[in-house]
Amino acid sequence: MGRLNWLRAGVLGANDGIVSTAGLVIGVAAATNNRAAIFTAGLAGLAAGAMSMAVGEYVSVSTQRDSERAMVAKERLELAQLPHTELLELAEIYEGKGLPPSLALDVAKALTEHDALAAHAEAELGIDPDDLTNPWHAAIASMISFTMGALLPLLAILNPATGWRIPGTVVVVLVALALTGYISARLGGAAIGRAVLRVVLGGILAMAVTYGIGRLFGTAVS
């Protein structure tokens, strides 16, 4: 669960870094050819986005961790106050999974004698008391992956050939999004084609919208 936590944060951060930064720099590039202005906007977006993702993941996962701790504490109290009731409850869980009643009770007793809290927390809550979600892992993974993802469109948009800046960035972004969609599908066991299509279409929509805004308001203001 801990590994899945930071992997999820990493994939989400990379995808957000690619899409948000691409949208930002393409929108600015549609309004001006000034490389310094494009770079400054992109760099500011990268820094703000990376910090925002890190803080958001930390707060979110910290809340989840607090909930897990509260559930484990409640389970520990119930084990201390109602050990027999909790034993029967654990046996019922294994019986519900297909074990004969007598065997389910024997398994529940053996697991309780070995580590009662771990057995009940895993069976009833799906939580490992010794491996709760870590907000720092999620925050750091999200910040690093956002930065790496954001660097791709930021570097691509700085192409000296003005006419190739936006097309080149679009190509780089679509390849990167396809890769993140593939990775997320493999991690989650989902259909690869559908996952790739979702992130690629989302990236195209984001870039199209920001490009249109840049062209419209850039021309109007200038």
Side-chain angles (χ1 to χ4, degrees):
M1 286 298 294
R3 184 162 54 250
L4 287 177
N5 175 52
W6 67 260
L7 284 173
R8 173 201 57 78
V11 172
L12 178 61
N15 184 78
D16 195 24
I18 294 167
V19 173
S20 62
T21 305
L24 176 61
V25 295
I26 286 178
V28 176
T32 178
N33 291 326
N34 190 312
R35 292 180 70 198
I38 297 171
F39 175 74
T40 301
L43 186 61
L46 184 156
M51 293 304 299
S52 176
M53 286 293 295
V55 172
E57 282 290 342
Y58 181 82
V59 171
S60 174
V61 177
S62 291
T63 301
Q64 178 183 344
R65 186 183 180 91
D66 291 343
S67 297
E68 291 174 345
R69 283 175 170 169
M71 289 189 290
V72 170
K74 181 174 181 291
E75 193 63 37
R76 182 181 289 109
L77 180 63
E78 291 175 348
L79 284 169
Q81 296 179 342
L82 303 167
H84 184 67
T85 301
E86 287 296 301
L87 175 64
L88 295 179
E89 184 177 343
L90 185 60
E92 288 178 1
I93 292 175
Y94 288 109
E95 186 177 343
K97 293 182 178 181
L99 294 181
S102 58
L103 179 58
L105 183 59
D106 289 340
V107 170
K109 288 179 178 179
L111 292 176
T112 299
E113 290 174 1
H114 176 69
D115 190 334
L117 180 61
H120 284 262
E122 181 181 0
E124 296 179 30
L125 308 174
I127 296 175
D128 182 351
D130 297 322
D131 188 27
L132 301 180
T133 52
N134 191 314
W136 284 109
H137 289 173
I140 293 172
S142 181
M143 182 174 64
I144 293 175
S145 61
F146 183 98
T147 301
M148 294 176 64
L151 282 173
L152 297 175
L154 179 59
L155 295 176
I157 202 70
L158 298 179
N159 191 328
T162 303
W164 284 99
R165 283 179 184 169
I166 293 178
T169 301
V170 170
V171 171
V172 169
V173 167
L174 294 183
V175 171
L177 287 176
L179 182 59
T180 58
Y182 172 81
I183 294 174
S184 65
R186 289 297 301 271
L187 291 176
I192 293 176
R194 186 180 303 172
V196 170
L197 184 62
R198 276 198 301 262
V199 296
V200 169
L201 289 179
I204 291 173
L205 178 61
M207 289 185 290
V209 169
T210 53
Y211 176 80
I213 292 174
R215 293 289 294 178
L216 177 63
F217 287 95
T219 302
V221 172
S222 61

PDB file of all heavy atoms in Angstrom, residues 58-80:
ATOM      1  N   TYR A  58       0.513  16.107   0.552  1.00  0.00           N
ATOM      2  CA  TYR A  58       0.827  15.972   1.976  1.00  0.00           C
ATOM      3  C   TYR A  58      -0.432  16.106   2.829  1.00  0.00           C
ATOM      4  O   TYR A  58      -0.674  15.301   3.736  1.00  0.00           O
ATOM      5  CB  TYR A  58       1.855  17.022   2.398  1.00  0.00           C
ATOM      6  CG  TYR A  58       2.237  16.910   3.854  1.00  0.00           C
ATOM      7  CD1 TYR A  58       3.197  15.984   4.261  1.00  0.00           C
ATOM      8  CD2 TYR A  58       1.620  17.702   4.822  1.00  0.00           C
ATOM      9  CE1 TYR A  58       3.530  15.851   5.609  1.00  0.00           C
ATOM     10  CE2 TYR A  58       1.939  17.564   6.160  1.00  0.00           C
ATOM     11  CZ  TYR A  58       2.904  16.641   6.547  1.00  0.00           C
ATOM     12  OH  TYR A  58       3.218  16.510   7.880  1.00  0.00           O
ATOM     13  N   VAL A  59      -1.240  17.112   2.529  1.00  0.00           N
ATOM     14  CA  VAL A  59      -2.470  17.334   3.303  1.00  0.00           C
ATOM     15  C   VAL A  59      -3.436  16.167   3.117  1.00  0.00           C
ATOM     16  O   VAL A  59      -4.017  15.646   4.081  1.00  0.00           O
ATOM     17  CB  VAL A  59      -3.139  18.659   2.883  1.00  0.00           C
ATOM     18  CG1 VAL A  59      -4.518  18.787   3.527  1.00  0.00           C
ATOM     19  CG2 VAL A  59      -2.259  19.842   3.270  1.00  0.00           C
ATOM     20  N   SER A  60      -3.604  15.742   1.864  1.00  0.00           N
ATOM     21  CA  SER A  60      -4.545  14.660   1.569  1.00  0.00           C
ATOM     22  C   SER A  60      -4.142  13.350   2.237  1.00  0.00           C
ATOM     23  O   SER A  60      -4.951  12.688   2.895  1.00  0.00           O
ATOM     24  CB  SER A  60      -4.646  14.468   0.054  1.00  0.00           C
ATOM     25  OG  SER A  60      -5.438  13.361  -0.268  1.00  0.00           O
ATOM     26  N   VAL A  61      -2.874  12.974   2.074  1.00  0.00           N
ATOM     27  CA  VAL A  61      -2.414  11.699   2.630  1.00  0.00           C
ATOM     28  C   VAL A  61      -2.311  11.774   4.155  1.00  0.00           C
ATOM     29  O   VAL A  61      -2.517  10.772   4.843  1.00  0.00           O
ATOM     30  CB  VAL A  61      -1.069  11.288   2.000  1.00  0.00           C
ATOM     31  CG1 VAL A  61      -0.550   9.996   2.616  1.00  0.00           C
ATOM     32  CG2 VAL A  61      -1.235  11.108   0.499  1.00  0.00           C
ATOM     33  N   SER A  62      -2.017  12.953   4.692  1.00  0.00           N
ATOM     34  CA  SER A  62      -1.998  13.108   6.151  1.00  0.00           C
ATOM     35  C   SER A  62      -3.388  12.862   6.731  1.00  0.00           C
ATOM     36  O   SER A  62      -3.532  12.223   7.792  1.00  0.00           O
ATOM     37  CB  SER A  62      -1.518  14.509   6.540  1.00  0.00           C
ATOM     38  OG  SER A  62      -0.157  14.687   6.245  1.00  0.00           O
ATOM     39  N   THR A  63      -4.399  13.351   6.047  1.00  0.00           N
ATOM     40  CA  THR A  63      -5.780  13.115   6.480  1.00  0.00           C
ATOM     41  C   THR A  63      -6.103  11.628   6.439  1.00  0.00           C
ATOM     42  O   THR A  63      -6.724  11.076   7.361  1.00  0.00           O
ATOM     43  CB  THR A  63      -6.760  13.887   5.583  1.00  0.00           C
ATOM     44  OG1 THR A  63      -6.461  15.292   5.648  1.00  0.00           O
ATOM     45  CG2 THR A  63      -8.201  13.664   6.035  1.00  0.00           C
ATOM     46  N   GLN A  64      -5.677  10.972   5.367  1.00  0.00           N
ATOM     47  CA  GLN A  64      -5.890   9.525   5.255  1.00  0.00           C
ATOM     48  C   GLN A  64      -5.156   8.790   6.367  1.00  0.00           C
ATOM     49  O   GLN A  64      -5.698   7.857   6.972  1.00  0.00           O
ATOM     50  CB  GLN A  64      -5.403   9.037   3.895  1.00  0.00           C
ATOM     51  CG  GLN A  64      -5.543   7.525   3.698  1.00  0.00           C
ATOM     52  CD  GLN A  64      -4.975   7.070   2.368  1.00  0.00           C
ATOM     53  OE1 GLN A  64      -4.734   7.854   1.469  1.00  0.00           O
ATOM     54  NE2 GLN A  64      -4.750   5.766   2.247  1.00  0.00           N
ATOM     55  N   ARG A  65      -3.925   9.201   6.634  1.00  0.00           N
ATOM     56  CA  ARG A  65      -3.134   8.547   7.691  1.00  0.00           C
ATOM     57  C   ARG A  65      -3.787   8.742   9.056  1.00  0.00           C
ATOM     58  O   ARG A  65      -3.825   7.821   9.873  1.00  0.00           O
ATOM     59  CB  ARG A  65      -1.716   9.116   7.689  1.00  0.00           C
ATOM     60  CG  ARG A  65      -0.755   8.414   8.658  1.00  0.00           C
ATOM     61  CD  ARG A  65       0.593   9.115   8.626  1.00  0.00           C
ATOM     62  NE  ARG A  65       1.557   8.510   9.526  1.00  0.00           N
ATOM     63  CZ  ARG A  65       2.405   7.546   9.181  1.00  0.00           C
ATOM     64  NH1 ARG A  65       2.392   7.075   7.940  1.00  0.00           N
ATOM     65  NH2 ARG A  65       3.261   7.043  10.048  1.00  0.00           N
ATOM     66  N   ASP A  66      -4.314   9.941   9.326  1.00  0.00           N
ATOM     67  CA  ASP A  66      -5.006  10.199  10.592  1.00  0.00           C
ATOM     68  C   ASP A  66      -6.220   9.288  10.743  1.00  0.00           C
ATOM     69  O   ASP A  66      -6.493   8.777  11.838  1.00  0.00           O
ATOM     70  CB  ASP A  66      -5.437  11.661  10.672  1.00  0.00           C
ATOM     71  CG  ASP A  66      -4.256  12.606  10.822  1.00  0.00           C
ATOM     72  OD1 ASP A  66      -3.164  12.144  11.186  1.00  0.00           O
ATOM     73  OD2 ASP A  66      -4.432  13.814  10.543  1.00  0.00           O
ATOM     74  N   SER A  67      -6.944   9.085   9.644  1.00  0.00           N
ATOM     75  CA  SER A  67      -8.114   8.207   9.683  1.00  0.00           C
ATOM     76  C   SER A  67      -7.693   6.768   9.957  1.00  0.00           C
ATOM     77  O   SER A  67      -8.347   6.052  10.738  1.00  0.00           O
ATOM     78  CB  SER A  67      -8.879   8.282   8.353  1.00  0.00           C
ATOM     79  OG  SER A  67      -9.372   9.584   8.124  1.00  0.00           O
ATOM     80  N   GLU A  68      -6.608   6.331   9.315  1.00  0.00           N
ATOM     81  CA  GLU A  68      -6.117   4.978   9.545  1.00  0.00           C
ATOM     82  C   GLU A  68      -5.688   4.790  10.996  1.00  0.00           C
ATOM     83  O   GLU A  68      -5.976   3.751  11.609  1.00  0.00           O
ATOM     84  CB  GLU A  68      -4.939   4.691   8.611  1.00  0.00           C
ATOM     85  CG  GLU A  68      -5.333   4.584   7.145  1.00  0.00           C
ATOM     86  CD  GLU A  68      -4.123   4.454   6.242  1.00  0.00           C
ATOM     87  OE1 GLU A  68      -2.994   4.727   6.702  1.00  0.00           O
ATOM     88  OE2 GLU A  68      -4.314   4.093   5.063  1.00  0.00           O
ATOM     89  N   ARG A  69      -5.010   5.783  11.546  1.00  0.00           N
ATOM     90  CA  ARG A  69      -4.574   5.683  12.939  1.00  0.00           C
ATOM     91  C   ARG A  69      -5.776   5.607  13.884  1.00  0.00           C
ATOM     92  O   ARG A  69      -5.759   4.845  14.873  1.00  0.00           O
ATOM     93  CB  ARG A  69      -3.712   6.892  13.295  1.00  0.00           C
ATOM     94  CG  ARG A  69      -2.288   6.819  12.766  1.00  0.00           C
ATOM     95  CD  ARG A  69      -1.535   8.091  13.053  1.00  0.00           C
ATOM     96  NE  ARG A  69      -0.108   7.957  12.770  1.00  0.00           N
ATOM     97  CZ  ARG A  69       0.736   8.972  12.743  1.00  0.00           C
ATOM     98  NH1 ARG A  69       0.310  10.200  12.970  1.00  0.00           N
ATOM     99  NH2 ARG A  69       2.021   8.770  12.479  1.00  0.00           N
ATOM    100  N   ALA A  70      -6.808   6.393  13.579  1.00  0.00           N
ATOM    101  CA  ALA A  70      -8.006   6.388  14.422  1.00  0.00           C
ATOM    102  C   ALA A  70      -8.695   5.026  14.373  1.00  0.00           C
ATOM    103  O   ALA A  70      -9.153   4.505  15.397  1.00  0.00           O
ATOM    104  CB  ALA A  70      -8.969   7.486  13.967  1.00  0.00           C
ATOM    105  N   MET A  71      -8.767   4.421  13.179  1.00  0.00           N
ATOM    106  CA  MET A  71      -9.402   3.107  13.054  1.00  0.00           C
ATOM    107  C   MET A  71      -8.599   2.034  13.763  1.00  0.00           C
ATOM    108  O   MET A  71      -9.164   1.141  14.401  1.00  0.00           O
ATOM    109  CB  MET A  71      -9.589   2.773  11.573  1.00  0.00           C
ATOM    110  CG  MET A  71     -10.656   3.606  10.884  1.00  0.00           C
ATOM    111  SD  MET A  71     -11.051   3.031   9.206  1.00  0.00           S
ATOM    112  CE  MET A  71      -9.540   3.485   8.342  1.00  0.00           C
ATOM    113  N   VAL A  72      -7.277   2.114  13.666  1.00  0.00           N
ATOM    114  CA  VAL A  72      -6.422   1.136  14.354  1.00  0.00           C
ATOM    115  C   VAL A  72      -6.555   1.293  15.869  1.00  0.00           C
ATOM    116  O   VAL A  72      -6.620   0.291  16.600  1.00  0.00           O
ATOM    117  CB  VAL A  72      -4.953   1.304  13.916  1.00  0.00           C
ATOM    118  CG1 VAL A  72      -4.029   0.467  14.810  1.00  0.00           C
ATOM    119  CG2 VAL A  72      -4.779   0.895  12.457  1.00  0.00           C
ATOM    120  N   ALA A  73      -6.617   2.536  16.348  1.00  0.00           N
ATOM    121  CA  ALA A  73      -6.773   2.775  17.786  1.00  0.00           C
ATOM    122  C   ALA A  73      -8.115   2.223  18.279  1.00  0.00           C
ATOM    123  O   ALA A  73      -8.194   1.639  19.373  1.00  0.00           O
ATOM    124  CB  ALA A  73      -6.684   4.274  18.079  1.00  0.00           C
ATOM    125  N   LYS A  74      -9.149   2.392  17.485  1.00  0.00           N
ATOM    126  CA  LYS A  74     -10.469   1.866  17.846  1.00  0.00           C
ATOM    127  C   LYS A  74     -10.436   0.341  17.901  1.00  0.00           C
ATOM    128  O   LYS A  74     -11.004  -0.272  18.811  1.00  0.00           O
ATOM    129  CB  LYS A  74     -11.509   2.337  16.823  1.00  0.00           C
ATOM    130  CG  LYS A  74     -12.933   1.879  17.097  1.00  0.00           C
ATOM    131  CD  LYS A  74     -13.890   2.517  16.099  1.00  0.00           C
ATOM    132  CE  LYS A  74     -15.323   2.087  16.371  1.00  0.00           C
ATOM    133  NZ  LYS A  74     -15.566   0.667  16.083  1.00  0.00           N
ATOM    134  N   GLU A  75      -9.755  -0.261  16.935  1.00  0.00           N
ATOM    135  CA  GLU A  75      -9.645  -1.721  16.913  1.00  0.00           C
ATOM    136  C   GLU A  75      -8.852  -2.220  18.109  1.00  0.00           C
ATOM    137  O   GLU A  75      -9.196  -3.246  18.714  1.00  0.00           O
ATOM    138  CB  GLU A  75      -8.970  -2.163  15.614  1.00  0.00           C
ATOM    139  CG  GLU A  75      -9.081  -3.644  15.340  1.00  0.00           C
ATOM    140  CD  GLU A  75     -10.512  -4.101  15.146  1.00  0.00           C
ATOM    141  OE1 GLU A  75     -11.306  -3.347  14.553  1.00  0.00           O
ATOM    142  OE2 GLU A  75     -10.831  -5.223  15.609  1.00  0.00           O
ATOM    143  N   ARG A  76      -7.802  -1.506  18.491  1.00  0.00           N
ATOM    144  CA  ARG A  76      -7.000  -1.892  19.653  1.00  0.00           C
ATOM    145  C   ARG A  76      -7.847  -1.844  20.932  1.00  0.00           C
ATOM    146  O   ARG A  76      -7.745  -2.740  21.792  1.00  0.00           O
ATOM    147  CB  ARG A  76      -5.794  -0.960  19.778  1.00  0.00           C
ATOM    148  CG  ARG A  76      -4.864  -1.319  20.925  1.00  0.00           C
ATOM    149  CD  ARG A  76      -3.701  -0.368  21.043  1.00  0.00           C
ATOM    150  NE  ARG A  76      -2.734  -0.536  19.959  1.00  0.00           N
ATOM    151  CZ  ARG A  76      -2.549   0.336  18.972  1.00  0.00           C
ATOM    152  NH1 ARG A  76      -3.276   1.461  18.930  1.00  0.00           N
ATOM    153  NH2 ARG A  76      -1.652   0.109  18.038  1.00  0.00           N
ATOM    154  N   LEU A  77      -8.688  -0.804  21.042  1.00  0.00           N
ATOM    155  CA  LEU A  77      -9.551  -0.675  22.216  1.00  0.00           C
ATOM    156  C   LEU A  77     -10.578  -1.801  22.273  1.00  0.00           C
ATOM    157  O   LEU A  77     -10.834  -2.373  23.347  1.00  0.00           O
ATOM    158  CB  LEU A  77     -10.257   0.681  22.170  1.00  0.00           C
ATOM    159  CG  LEU A  77     -11.212   0.990  23.335  1.00  0.00           C
ATOM    160  CD1 LEU A  77     -10.436   1.036  24.649  1.00  0.00           C
ATOM    161  CD2 LEU A  77     -11.929   2.318  23.095  1.00  0.00           C
ATOM    162  N   GLU A  78     -11.156  -2.139  21.132  1.00  0.00           N
ATOM    163  CA  GLU A  78     -12.146  -3.217  21.091  1.00  0.00           C
ATOM    164  C   GLU A  78     -11.524  -4.550  21.444  1.00  0.00           C
ATOM    165  O   GLU A  78     -12.145  -5.389  22.119  1.00  0.00           O
ATOM    166  CB  GLU A  78     -12.788  -3.276  19.703  1.00  0.00           C
ATOM    167  CG  GLU A  78     -13.687  -2.087  19.397  1.00  0.00           C
ATOM    168  CD  GLU A  78     -14.219  -2.118  17.978  1.00  0.00           C
ATOM    169  OE1 GLU A  78     -13.721  -2.926  17.170  1.00  0.00           O
ATOM    170  OE2 GLU A  78     -15.141  -1.335  17.672  1.00  0.00           O
ATOM    171  N   LEU A  79     -10.293  -4.775  21.007  1.00  0.00           N
ATOM    172  CA  LEU A  79      -9.589  -6.022  21.338  1.00  0.00           C
ATOM    173  C   LEU A  79      -9.325  -6.117  22.843  1.00  0.00           C
ATOM    174  O   LEU A  79      -9.370  -7.210  23.413  1.00  0.00           O
ATOM    175  CB  LEU A  79      -8.271  -6.109  20.571  1.00  0.00           C
ATOM    176  CG  LEU A  79      -8.375  -6.475  19.088  1.00  0.00           C
ATOM    177  CD1 LEU A  79      -7.030  -6.268  18.394  1.00  0.00           C
ATOM    178  CD2 LEU A  79      -8.828  -7.925  18.935  1.00  0.00           C
ATOM    179  N   ALA A  80      -9.065  -4.985  23.464  1.00  0.00           N
ATOM    180  CA  ALA A  80      -8.802  -4.978  24.899  1.00  0.00           C
ATOM    181  C   ALA A  80     -10.072  -5.178  25.708  1.00  0.00           C
ATOM    182  O   ALA A  80     -10.064  -5.850  26.745  1.00  0.00           O
ATOM    183  CB  ALA A  80      -8.127  -3.669  25.296  1.00  0.00           C
TER     184      ALA A  80
END
